[in-house]
Each structure stands twice: as C-alpha cells, then as structure tokens.
Amino acid sequence: MNLKSIYPPHGIRIYWGPMLRIRFHGRGGQGVKTSSRILGRAAFLAGFLAQDSPIYGAERRGAPVVAFTRISDSVILERGFIFNPHIVVVMDESLIGDWLARPLEGLLRGGVALINTAQAGAPLEVSDSHVVVRLNITDEALKIIGRPVISAPAAASAAKITGLIRKKQVLEATVEELTELGLAEETVEKNLRLVSEVYDMTPHHSIKINEEPSRSLEVVDLRSDRVVFSDILEVGNAYLRKTGNWRVFTPVVDYGRCTGCMVCYVYCPDSAVKLDPDKKPVIDYENCKGCLICVLECPMRAITFVREAKAYA
Amino acid sequence: MRDVEMMTGNTAAAWAARLADVDYIPAYPITPQTEIIETLAKWINEGVMKAKLVQLESEHSMLTAAGTASLAGARVFTSTSSQGLLYGFEMLYNIAGWRAPMVLVNVSRAVAAPITLEPDHNDVLSARDSGFMQFHAERCQDVLDLVLMAYRVSEDRRVMLPSIVNMDGFYLSFTREPVGLLDKEEVAEFLPPYSHPQAFKARRHVVKGPAVIGGHLYTFFKHNIHESITRAAQVFDEAAEKFQSITGRKLEAVEGFLLDDAEYVLVITNSFTTTAKRAVVKLREKGVPAGLAKVVMLRPFPAKIIVEKLKNRKAVAVFDQNISQGFGGIIYSETAAALYHVKNRPETLLSVVGGLGGKFTTLEEFEYVFSLLANPDKVGAGKPLFLFRKDELRDVERAMKLAGVEGEM
C-alpha cells in the first residue's frame, strides 16, 4: 500500500476505509500497553496506518488496564476508547468475570475473543455471536522466558488473527519496542522465540465483519435543582474490591514446616496474610495477588507456590 | 464606635469579618492586603473579636486551610492579592469543588512582570472560571456590605460555593471614607449561623474531592457547580432585598447610573467607576445622554440584567481594567456574548482597556470614551482601544532613557 495515496501532496483525496479495532485487556504489570504498541508498530511496518493508546486509572500492579490498536489502510478518524472491537485480547482470563473490566463487552458479531488461558478447551470455537480463540500464552512464556511476561506473544497472536501482518513484522516490532523499553538483548531474544512460537500456535481465522458500529444516543438534561456534593459518605468500602482474582501463582503454606515466626505476615505488601490463634499464617486468597514475596522471605521455606489456573464463567 | 466611621477598604473588610463573627482566619501577608489581617490580629489580641488567626507558610497552604476548615463547619475568612492569589491558585478550584462556602477578599494588584503594587483585575479575573462567585466593590462601603452578602449567598443551601470580594489596592484598600456599620442584632437578622450539611466530623467520616476517572462523573459535578452558581444570582437578589430592609442600602448585581434615557453607556467595574460617574454627570450637564452600568457581580455573570440595561442604546463602551493578552478586554467579550442574541442590541460596542497596573484614568479620558461613542466611525471595530496619554508616553521615554535603553520609541 502506498502512503502517498493516503496523504496526497495537496491533502484533498482522503477517504475513510474499513478499519480493524483491537482492544487489549489485562492487568497492570502484564504489558498490556506494550502489547498494543507492538501490534501497532507491526501494522505500521506492514504498511498500514496504525494508532495505539492505553487507558489506565490509578497505577497499581494488578489493576485492570485497557489498551487499543487501530489498523487501517486509510486515515483513522477516531481516537480513544474502542467500544466495538473486532478483536478483544484477554491477557488475563480472570478479567472475564470482572464487573468493572467487562472485556467482552461490545465485541462485534463475528469478532474474535482471543483468550490467554491455562484451561483446556477447543483452540478455535465459532459460535453465532463470535469466535473464541484459546491459547495458553502464559505457560509458553514461563517455559521460554521463565516469567509470565506476555506483551509480545499476545501482540503476535492478535497480529496473526488480523490476517494483515506477517510474523517478520511482529518480530521487528518486538525488537524495536522492547529495546526502547531498555530490555536486555538476551531477554529480547527470548521474547522473539516466544513471539515466533505463539504466532505459529495461533489458528488461522479470517474475520468477516462489514458492520460499522453505531451507538444510539440519548441526550439528557443534567439539571438537578439542588446542590450535589461530590462526597463519599460510605467510606472504608475498599474491602469490597477483591484484589485476589489476579494471580499467576498461588502461595501455599506447609504447616508442618511453619514455625509461626510471622515474617510472611510482616512482609506481605497487601496485608493478605492473617494470623490464626497459634500465630500461624492464613493466606487471604480473596486478596492475595500472588506476588510471592512471602515465598521469598520465609526463613523455613515453608511456603511454596503452585500455578494458578482459574476457570472463568 | 460611631455608626458611621472613617475607614479604609482594608479596615472595612476586617470589620465585615468581625461582624460576620468568623471562626477561622488563615493568613499570609502581601501588599496591599496585609492591613486586613493586621487589623483582625489586633482585634483578636485585644479580645474584642473571637476567632482563630493562623499565619501559614504560603497562600497555597492558606487557601487549603481555609477550604478544609470551612468543610469542618467553621465560618472562614481570608484575604490575599495578586501573586498570592496566583500562588494558591489550584486550591481555588478545589475549594469550589469541595463546595466550601468561605469568603476571600482579594485586594487587586496587577500581576508581575514587570512588578508593581497598584491594581488591575488580571489577578481576580484569573479566578473567573474557578467556581468562586465574584463581587467587585466601588467604595469602601461596598467592601463591608459585599462581604456580608457573600457569606449569606455562599452559605445558602441552594448555592454552597465560595466567594471572592474584590477591592482595588490603594484606590480602596488604603483610602479612607465614611463606612456605615451594622449592629450585632442587624447582622444576626441578616446572616444566620453557618453549618455544613456534610461537614467533617470525628464520628462521621466523609471523603471530599474523590477521584473520578472517566469524565462523566467529573462533568456531572462540574455541571452541578455551574447550576448552583447560576442559581446564586437569584439568591443574591433575595439577600440584597433583605439587606436593604435592614440597612437601607441597596445592592445590585448590576448598578445603573443615570441610565433611564441614556443613549451612550459605559460598562465598568470597581473603583474607577467613581470617576466615570463624574464624567457622566458632566456630560449630562452639557445635555449629552450619557449613562453608566457598574457590574458588581462578575460571577455568576448577570447576562440577563446586562442585556436589559444595554439594549436599545445607541452605543456602549466596556472599560476593562484587565487584558487578556492576544484578545483584549475580558468583560468586553462577556458583554458582547450576552448581547449577541439580542435583536435591538447597540450598534456600537467599543472595547476600552485602561487602568492597567493602576494607571490613573482621568475624568477627561472617560469623557473622551463617551465622545468616541458619539462618533463611532472613529473607532476600529472589535479592536481594544488602549487609553494612554501623551504625557505618560513622554514619561515612559524618560524612564527608558534612564534604564539605558537605546533607540526611539
């Protein structure tokens, strides 16, 4: 494709062609933004016009993060949140049940939900409403890199599903993005192996969507005829927000070895270790984020960890 | 103490705080405002006034303390000027967003650089969009009256927003003239005790100013402030009626002067209004149908009243003692916007910029403005006219020479 046809010298021949919209959902620290950028750059290297951007609120590890990539062969006349994506990439499957994140919301009919999951299931499942692609990217990453970092392979998988981007372009984009982030050459190399692996693993599927989404609009009058304070009176309700639904690893206490020294209790950054009457630790799995600091700090090596593979609804 | 006493604008502001029986005065000195807090500190020291006055380490802390104390249920008074207002600026939006109905007196002083002590209104008008109401004084009496009015309107449960009362440095702050006071019973009748419906209390937790990512919550609350401050215009009128019944003094959002049959009208604010009134009187004596509209309430902007006062006039000039760099007068643009949809709006709307940095504006200059209104062809449409005299330019040239700046002006 020739960029000159999009940006002609006199800037008069602009048309608005079809566009692919990809939405990434994941957790703070998973590389959601980087994933959208690798896909954006790969599309750019493939000769398309691309746009990538993240949205996040309070920056904390584990908080839901959304990022977007738009790919088009003509000028992109949109910005910001993608309400009706052609592809959603769910980098953390526990988000599917999250009432705030709602990763599948707005997925177009015939669109693809690409889900990173450790659950068994058909790799490609076509239903009336949309297509589900299941891949175990995290375990691939653990195998090759040794840590659950999945920004590059998630982008690779999405790139293949677009049907527009070759592996070569994803590899090139991965090098550029990860180098820009200051990653060591060795880590970048491992990522390239992972990208290659996951790109090949991803099933072929060509998206057929002609629907141009439009949102219905109902404008309201904001008048309330009274003073409304932006106060919070129901304070201290943060406990209602369970932070333990995101975990790659689950710490497990071996009570035979535990001496009740309380080191884990002190070190837990989320106060997710409680003490029973014998001063033995009880892990609050509703709020434990699986950071494994307790595993590292336990002087008796009484805390081990297992791979979390949570089912989702 | 007499019922009427000679006092400066600063003393009048201090008297208003004393009469309002404020609980808390966070303070920080800056010329030309300092006399206000000095006066209050003296009274508290003498035991004639019961309030807690604390000097903070900056205007930023001062305004933070003021807003939060107001939310704790204290009636709060504070004052500042110019650089001080700008230094604490981000807190203005917070205080309004928290819905803390405190009163701030701003003693106008032009903003550096170059630095000066004398007034124009770029300092106070920078706070125009913050959610504070703004009442601007022409006389020392207005300072006292408007502070009391400001408390009543701010604390009204239909409003719950802070106010700024503005007076010009030097021209009011250090100028003495007779000011009538209210006695305790009169104040009590006018100004009920302050309470906040959702105040900070030790036994009831409340979060003020929470995070609202997403834009729609933000917009909702911003709209509510807009709706409330707009409603404040009506609350102001009610309060003014009550105030008049007690004191006999009439306060208006926009005050007309010899306006009934006027064909040429000057729109103006603050202390130069006095001189402009004299120009109007002089022209009337010569048979010229001149008149004047003084804008007292800048926020909420009394667009409806301004339209009422200006429609069907032949020509109107707006005197702005401020400059929005790259545009011109701020009140001119607001007046023009108010008149846009009016069919019988004046044919000529002249923008005049004068009095920057307290530059003295003479009677003759105001007369000159009226003479332009009578011959609007001489005026470039939409372009601000800078009032600047030849003798002043000569003085600039002298100063430049002293400063060693080469070349001709």
Side-chain angles (χ1 to χ4, degrees), chain B residues 50-94:
Chain B
K50 259 199 201 159
K52 178 93 176 157
L53 187 146
V54 179
Q55 184 169 313
L56 280 300
E57 78 277 18
S58 74
E59 285 86 353
H60 191 281
S61 308
M62 177 187 92
L63 286 173
T64 310
T68 46
S70 172
L71 296 176
R75 181 173 281 160
V76 178
F77 176 86
T78 189
S79 58
T80 189
S81 290
S82 186
Q83 315 296 136
L85 186 71
L86 297 197
Y87 192 46
F89 194 76
E90 65 161 324
M91 294 319 297
L92 297 177
Y93 278 73
N94 274 292

Short mmCIF file of all heavy atoms in Angstrom, two decimals, chain B residues 50-94:
data_model
loop_
_atom_site.label_atom_id
_atom_site.label_comp_id
_atom_site.label_asym_id
_atom_site.label_seq_id
_atom_site.Cartn_x
_atom_site.Cartn_y
_atom_site.Cartn_z
N LYS B 50 -13.55 37.16 68.62
CA LYS B 50 -13.24 35.77 68.94
C LYS B 50 -13.05 35.02 67.64
O LYS B 50 -14.02 34.71 66.96
CB LYS B 50 -14.42 35.16 69.70
CG LYS B 50 -14.20 35.08 71.19
CD LYS B 50 -15.18 34.07 71.74
CE LYS B 50 -15.42 34.27 73.23
NZ LYS B 50 -16.69 33.66 73.63
N ALA B 51 -11.83 34.75 67.29
CA ALA B 51 -11.57 33.93 66.10
C ALA B 51 -10.15 33.41 66.22
O ALA B 51 -9.34 33.94 66.97
CB ALA B 51 -11.72 34.75 64.82
N LYS B 52 -9.87 32.35 65.47
CA LYS B 52 -8.52 31.80 65.46
C LYS B 52 -7.84 32.30 64.19
O LYS B 52 -8.31 32.04 63.09
CB LYS B 52 -8.61 30.27 65.44
CG LYS B 52 -7.28 29.57 65.38
CD LYS B 52 -6.77 29.23 66.75
CE LYS B 52 -5.47 28.45 66.63
NZ LYS B 52 -4.67 28.58 67.87
N LEU B 53 -6.74 33.05 64.37
CA LEU B 53 -5.98 33.52 63.21
C LEU B 53 -4.65 32.79 63.18
O LEU B 53 -3.93 32.76 64.18
CB LEU B 53 -5.76 35.03 63.29
CG LEU B 53 -5.12 35.69 62.06
CD1 LEU B 53 -5.67 37.09 61.84
CD2 LEU B 53 -3.60 35.75 62.14
N VAL B 54 -4.35 32.16 62.06
CA VAL B 54 -3.10 31.42 61.94
C VAL B 54 -2.36 31.91 60.70
O VAL B 54 -2.95 32.01 59.63
CB VAL B 54 -3.36 29.90 61.79
CG1 VAL B 54 -2.05 29.14 61.64
CG2 VAL B 54 -4.13 29.38 62.97
N GLN B 55 -1.09 32.23 60.87
CA GLN B 55 -0.31 32.59 59.69
C GLN B 55 0.33 31.33 59.12
O GLN B 55 1.10 30.65 59.78
CB GLN B 55 0.75 33.63 60.02
CG GLN B 55 1.49 34.05 58.74
CD GLN B 55 2.36 35.25 58.93
OE1 GLN B 55 1.95 36.24 59.51
NE2 GLN B 55 3.60 35.17 58.45
N LEU B 56 -0.01 31.02 57.88
CA LEU B 56 0.53 29.83 57.22
C LEU B 56 1.85 30.18 56.52
O LEU B 56 2.29 31.33 56.56
CB LEU B 56 -0.48 29.29 56.21
CG LEU B 56 -1.63 28.43 56.75
CD1 LEU B 56 -1.09 27.19 57.45
CD2 LEU B 56 -2.58 29.18 57.63
N GLU B 57 2.46 29.20 55.88
CA GLU B 57 3.75 29.46 55.25
C GLU B 57 3.63 29.90 53.79
O GLU B 57 4.62 30.20 53.15
CB GLU B 57 4.68 28.25 55.39
CG GLU B 57 4.42 27.11 54.44
CD GLU B 57 3.32 26.18 54.92
OE1 GLU B 57 2.52 26.56 55.78
OE2 GLU B 57 3.26 25.05 54.40
N SER B 58 2.40 29.91 53.26
CA SER B 58 2.21 30.38 51.88
C SER B 58 0.72 30.53 51.63
O SER B 58 -0.10 30.04 52.41
CB SER B 58 2.78 29.38 50.87
OG SER B 58 1.91 28.26 50.79
N GLU B 59 0.39 31.17 50.51
CA GLU B 59 -1.03 31.31 50.17
C GLU B 59 -1.62 29.96 49.78
O GLU B 59 -2.82 29.74 49.91
CB GLU B 59 -1.20 32.31 49.02
CG GLU B 59 -1.02 33.75 49.41
CD GLU B 59 0.42 34.22 49.38
OE1 GLU B 59 1.33 33.38 49.17
OE2 GLU B 59 0.66 35.43 49.56
N HIS B 60 -0.78 29.07 49.27
CA HIS B 60 -1.29 27.75 48.90
C HIS B 60 -1.80 27.03 50.15
O HIS B 60 -2.91 26.51 50.18
CB HIS B 60 -0.20 26.95 48.20
CG HIS B 60 -0.69 25.70 47.55
ND1 HIS B 60 -0.95 24.56 48.25
CD2 HIS B 60 -1.00 25.43 46.26
CE1 HIS B 60 -1.39 23.63 47.41
NE2 HIS B 60 -1.43 24.14 46.20
N SER B 61 -0.99 27.04 51.19
CA SER B 61 -1.40 26.41 52.45
C SER B 61 -2.57 27.18 53.06
O SER B 61 -3.48 26.59 53.64
CB SER B 61 -0.25 26.40 53.44
OG SER B 61 0.88 25.84 52.84
N MET B 62 -2.51 28.49 52.92
CA MET B 62 -3.55 29.34 53.49
C MET B 62 -4.92 28.99 52.90
O MET B 62 -5.89 28.80 53.63
CB MET B 62 -3.20 30.80 53.20
CG MET B 62 -4.23 31.80 53.66
SD MET B 62 -3.80 33.46 53.06
CE MET B 62 -4.72 33.48 51.53
N LEU B 63 -4.96 28.86 51.59
CA LEU B 63 -6.24 28.55 50.95
C LEU B 63 -6.67 27.11 51.25
O LEU B 63 -7.85 26.83 51.41
CB LEU B 63 -6.15 28.78 49.44
CG LEU B 63 -6.15 30.26 49.03
CD1 LEU B 63 -5.88 30.41 47.54
CD2 LEU B 63 -7.47 30.93 49.39
N THR B 64 -5.71 26.20 51.34
CA THR B 64 -6.04 24.82 51.69
C THR B 64 -6.66 24.76 53.08
O THR B 64 -7.69 24.12 53.30
CB THR B 64 -4.78 23.93 51.65
OG1 THR B 64 -4.11 24.15 50.41
CG2 THR B 64 -5.13 22.47 51.78
N ALA B 65 -6.02 25.49 54.02
CA ALA B 65 -6.54 25.54 55.39
C ALA B 65 -7.93 26.17 55.40
O ALA B 65 -8.84 25.72 56.10
CB ALA B 65 -5.58 26.32 56.28
N ALA B 66 -8.10 27.21 54.60
CA ALA B 66 -9.38 27.92 54.57
C ALA B 66 -10.50 27.01 54.09
O ALA B 66 -11.55 26.89 54.72
CB ALA B 66 -9.27 29.15 53.65
N GLY B 67 -10.26 26.32 52.98
CA GLY B 67 -11.29 25.45 52.42
C GLY B 67 -11.63 24.30 53.35
O GLY B 67 -12.81 24.00 53.58
N THR B 68 -10.62 23.67 53.90
CA THR B 68 -10.88 22.49 54.73
C THR B 68 -11.55 22.88 56.05
O THR B 68 -12.43 22.18 56.53
CB THR B 68 -9.58 21.71 55.01
OG1 THR B 68 -8.56 22.63 55.38
CG2 THR B 68 -9.13 20.97 53.77
N ALA B 69 -11.15 24.04 56.61
CA ALA B 69 -11.80 24.49 57.85
C ALA B 69 -13.27 24.79 57.59
O ALA B 69 -14.14 24.49 58.42
CB ALA B 69 -11.09 25.73 58.39
N SER B 70 -13.54 25.35 56.42
CA SER B 70 -14.92 25.64 56.06
C SER B 70 -15.75 24.36 56.00
O SER B 70 -16.91 24.32 56.41
CB SER B 70 -14.95 26.37 54.71
OG SER B 70 -16.26 26.51 54.25
N LEU B 71 -15.10 23.28 55.52
CA LEU B 71 -15.79 21.99 55.44
C LEU B 71 -15.97 21.36 56.82
O LEU B 71 -16.78 20.46 56.99
CB LEU B 71 -15.00 21.02 54.55
CG LEU B 71 -14.87 21.41 53.08
CD1 LEU B 71 -13.99 20.41 52.36
CD2 LEU B 71 -16.23 21.49 52.43
N ALA B 72 -15.16 21.82 57.79
CA ALA B 72 -15.30 21.30 59.14
C ALA B 72 -16.39 22.06 59.90
O ALA B 72 -16.63 21.80 61.08
CB ALA B 72 -13.96 21.40 59.88
N GLY B 73 -17.00 23.03 59.23
CA GLY B 73 -18.11 23.74 59.87
C GLY B 73 -17.74 25.10 60.42
O GLY B 73 -18.55 25.73 61.10
N ALA B 74 -16.52 25.57 60.15
CA ALA B 74 -16.11 26.90 60.62
C ALA B 74 -16.46 27.94 59.56
O ALA B 74 -16.32 27.68 58.37
CB ALA B 74 -14.61 26.91 60.89
N ARG B 75 -16.87 29.12 60.01
CA ARG B 75 -17.02 30.23 59.06
C ARG B 75 -15.62 30.81 58.86
O ARG B 75 -14.96 31.20 59.82
CB ARG B 75 -17.99 31.27 59.58
CG ARG B 75 -18.18 32.42 58.59
CD ARG B 75 -19.28 33.38 59.03
NE ARG B 75 -20.61 32.85 58.72
CZ ARG B 75 -21.73 33.26 59.31
NH1 ARG B 75 -21.68 34.18 60.25
NH2 ARG B 75 -22.90 32.74 58.97
N VAL B 76 -15.18 30.82 57.61
CA VAL B 76 -13.78 31.15 57.32
C VAL B 76 -13.68 32.44 56.52
O VAL B 76 -14.44 32.67 55.57
CB VAL B 76 -13.11 30.00 56.53
CG1 VAL B 76 -11.66 30.36 56.17
CG2 VAL B 76 -13.13 28.71 57.33
N PHE B 77 -12.72 33.26 56.91
CA PHE B 77 -12.39 34.47 56.17
C PHE B 77 -10.90 34.45 55.86
O PHE B 77 -10.09 34.05 56.70
CB PHE B 77 -12.72 35.72 57.01
CG PHE B 77 -12.32 37.01 56.34
CD1 PHE B 77 -13.16 37.63 55.44
CD2 PHE B 77 -11.08 37.59 56.61
CE1 PHE B 77 -12.79 38.82 54.82
CE2 PHE B 77 -10.70 38.78 55.98
CZ PHE B 77 -11.56 39.39 55.08
N THR B 78 -10.55 34.87 54.67
CA THR B 78 -9.13 35.09 54.39
C THR B 78 -9.01 36.13 53.29
O THR B 78 -10.01 36.52 52.68
CB THR B 78 -8.40 33.78 54.02
OG1 THR B 78 -7.00 34.05 53.97
CG2 THR B 78 -8.84 33.24 52.68
N SER B 79 -7.79 36.59 53.09
CA SER B 79 -7.61 37.61 52.06
C SER B 79 -6.22 37.51 51.47
O SER B 79 -5.29 37.01 52.10
CB SER B 79 -7.83 39.01 52.64
OG SER B 79 -6.95 39.23 53.71
N THR B 80 -6.10 37.97 50.23
CA THR B 80 -4.80 37.97 49.57
C THR B 80 -4.83 38.97 48.42
O THR B 80 -5.81 39.71 48.25
CB THR B 80 -4.42 36.55 49.09
OG1 THR B 80 -3.07 36.55 48.63
CG2 THR B 80 -5.33 36.08 47.95
N SER B 81 -3.76 38.98 47.64
CA SER B 81 -3.64 39.87 46.49
C SER B 81 -2.79 39.19 45.42
O SER B 81 -1.86 38.45 45.76
CB SER B 81 -2.89 41.16 46.86
OG SER B 81 -3.66 41.98 47.70
N SER B 82 -3.10 39.48 44.17
CA SER B 82 -2.14 39.31 43.08
C SER B 82 -1.34 38.02 43.10
O SER B 82 -1.89 36.93 42.99
CB SER B 82 -1.20 40.52 43.10
OG SER B 82 -0.33 40.52 42.01
N GLN B 83 -0.03 38.14 43.29
CA GLN B 83 0.86 36.97 43.25
C GLN B 83 0.40 35.93 44.27
O GLN B 83 0.55 34.73 44.02
CB GLN B 83 2.31 37.38 43.59
CG GLN B 83 2.82 38.63 42.91
CD GLN B 83 2.91 38.53 41.41
OE1 GLN B 83 2.53 39.44 40.70
NE2 GLN B 83 3.40 37.42 40.93
N GLY B 84 -0.11 36.39 45.38
CA GLY B 84 -0.57 35.48 46.43
C GLY B 84 -1.73 34.63 45.95
O GLY B 84 -1.78 33.42 46.16
N LEU B 85 -2.68 35.29 45.26
CA LEU B 85 -3.83 34.57 44.71
C LEU B 85 -3.36 33.53 43.70
O LEU B 85 -3.82 32.39 43.70
CB LEU B 85 -4.79 35.56 44.05
CG LEU B 85 -6.11 34.97 43.56
CD1 LEU B 85 -7.02 34.60 44.74
CD2 LEU B 85 -6.84 35.91 42.62
N LEU B 86 -2.41 33.95 42.86
CA LEU B 86 -1.92 33.02 41.83
C LEU B 86 -1.13 31.88 42.46
O LEU B 86 -1.18 30.75 41.97
CB LEU B 86 -1.06 33.76 40.80
CG LEU B 86 -1.75 34.85 39.97
CD1 LEU B 86 -0.91 35.18 38.75
CD2 LEU B 86 -3.14 34.45 39.54
N TYR B 87 -0.41 32.17 43.53
CA TYR B 87 0.39 31.12 44.17
C TYR B 87 -0.51 30.04 44.77
O TYR B 87 -0.18 28.87 44.76
CB TYR B 87 1.30 31.73 45.24
CG TYR B 87 2.35 30.79 45.74
CD1 TYR B 87 3.11 30.03 44.85
CD2 TYR B 87 2.60 30.63 47.10
CE1 TYR B 87 4.07 29.16 45.29
CE2 TYR B 87 3.56 29.76 47.55
CZ TYR B 87 4.29 29.02 46.65
OH TYR B 87 5.24 28.15 47.09
N GLY B 88 -1.66 30.46 45.26
CA GLY B 88 -2.58 29.48 45.84
C GLY B 88 -3.63 28.98 44.86
O GLY B 88 -4.56 28.29 45.23
N PHE B 89 -3.42 29.33 43.60
CA PHE B 89 -4.49 29.23 42.60
C PHE B 89 -5.16 27.87 42.50
O PHE B 89 -6.38 27.77 42.43
CB PHE B 89 -3.94 29.63 41.23
CG PHE B 89 -5.03 29.88 40.22
CD1 PHE B 89 -5.76 31.04 40.26
CD2 PHE B 89 -5.33 28.94 39.25
CE1 PHE B 89 -6.78 31.27 39.35
CE2 PHE B 89 -6.34 29.16 38.33
CZ PHE B 89 -7.06 30.33 38.38
N GLU B 90 -4.38 26.78 42.47
CA GLU B 90 -5.03 25.48 42.22
C GLU B 90 -6.04 25.14 43.31
O GLU B 90 -6.98 24.38 43.08
CB GLU B 90 -3.98 24.36 42.08
CG GLU B 90 -3.21 24.10 43.35
CD GLU B 90 -2.53 22.74 43.35
OE1 GLU B 90 -3.13 21.80 42.82
OE2 GLU B 90 -1.42 22.62 43.87
N MET B 91 -5.82 25.74 44.51
CA MET B 91 -6.76 25.44 45.59
C MET B 91 -8.11 26.09 45.37
O MET B 91 -9.11 25.66 45.94
CB MET B 91 -6.17 25.86 46.94
CG MET B 91 -4.95 25.04 47.36
SD MET B 91 -5.07 23.27 47.00
CE MET B 91 -6.46 22.81 48.03
N LEU B 92 -8.16 27.15 44.56
CA LEU B 92 -9.45 27.80 44.30
C LEU B 92 -10.43 26.80 43.68
O LEU B 92 -11.58 26.69 44.10
CB LEU B 92 -9.27 29.01 43.37
CG LEU B 92 -8.40 30.15 43.90
CD1 LEU B 92 -8.26 31.23 42.83
CD2 LEU B 92 -8.99 30.75 45.17
N TYR B 93 -9.95 26.08 42.68
CA TYR B 93 -10.81 25.09 42.03
C TYR B 93 -11.20 23.98 43.02
O TYR B 93 -12.31 23.48 42.98
CB TYR B 93 -10.10 24.48 40.81
CG TYR B 93 -10.19 25.32 39.57
CD1 TYR B 93 -9.46 26.50 39.45
CD2 TYR B 93 -11.02 24.96 38.52
CE1 TYR B 93 -9.54 27.28 38.31
CE2 TYR B 93 -11.11 25.74 37.37
CZ TYR B 93 -10.37 26.90 37.27
OH TYR B 93 -10.47 27.66 36.14
N ASN B 94 -10.24 23.61 43.88
CA ASN B 94 -10.55 22.58 44.87
C ASN B 94 -11.62 23.05 45.85
O ASN B 94 -12.57 22.32 46.14
CB ASN B 94 -9.28 22.19 45.64
CG ASN B 94 -8.50 21.12 44.91
OD1 ASN B 94 -8.96 19.98 44.81
ND2 ASN B 94 -7.34 21.47 44.39
#
